[in-house]
Amino acid sequence: QVQLVESGGGLVQAGGSLRLSCAASGSTYSIKTIGWYRQAPEKQRELVANISKDGSTNYADSVKGRFTISRDNAKNTVYLQMDSLKPEDTAAYYCKADSYGFGLRFPYWGQGTQVTVSS
C-alpha cells in the first residue's frame, strides 16, 4: 500500500510560480515512477510530468521549459516547480505513483490539489 499526500496548490497570477509537493508513505520501496497529472473542468486527465527513481524525466510539450519535476528519494517526496504559469495551467493536479509487486503494476493516486492561474 502506498499513500500520497499533496500540497502546494493555490491561486496565483499569470507569470507567477507555485511548487507542488507529493509525499509518499507506506511501501515506498516498491515505487518506480511518480508523476503529476492534471485535469481541467470538462477535460480529460493528462500527464504533466513524471520522474523515475533514477532521475529520468518526461514532460508534456505544453509545460517544457516552464515546469521542473524533481525527486528526493530520502524524503520519499516529489516536487513540481511551476514557473511562468498561464491561465491554461488551471486544473486539479494529481500525484500518481506506480509501484510493482506480484508481477503487476499498481497505480496510486493522491487526492489532488487545485491550481488556479488568474489573468
Side-chain angles (χ1 to χ4, degrees), residues 80-96:
L80 184 68
Q81 178 67 43
M82 304 185 294
D83 298 321
S84 301
L85 283 162
K86 305 174 181 179
E88 49 263 46
D89 295 318
T90 296
Y93 283 71
Y94 298 88
C95 181
K96 178 195 174 187

Side-chain angles (χ1 to χ4, degrees), residues 36-40 43-48 60 62-63 66-67 82 85 88-94 109:
W36 286 96
Y37 293 72
R38 67 186 182 187
Q39 187 168 18
K43 292 190 175 182
Q44 295 183 2
R45 189 170 299 186
E46 64 177 352
L47 173 69
V48 177
S62 60
V63 306
R66 300 189 298 119
F67 291 10
M82 304 185 294
L85 283 162
E88 49 263 46
D89 295 318
T90 296
Y93 283 71
Y94 298 88
W109 292 89

Side-chain angles (χ1 to χ4, degrees), residues 18-71:
L18 284 173
R19 192 189 198 196
L20 306 183
S21 298
C22 174
S25 61
S27 302
T28 57
Y29 55 85
S30 67
I31 298 174
K32 302 297 182 183
T33 304
I34 296 183
W36 286 96
Y37 293 72
R38 67 186 182 187
Q39 187 168 18
E42 301 183 353
K43 292 190 175 182
Q44 295 183 2
R45 189 170 299 186
E46 64 177 352
L47 173 69
V48 177
N50 62 243
I51 186 168
S52 300
K53 190 171 291 185
D54 66 358
S56 299
T57 59
N58 294 284
Y59 295 92
D61 288 341
S62 60
V63 306
K64 286 181 179 177
R66 300 189 298 119
F67 291 10
T68 303
I69 189 169
S70 60
R71 183 171 185 169

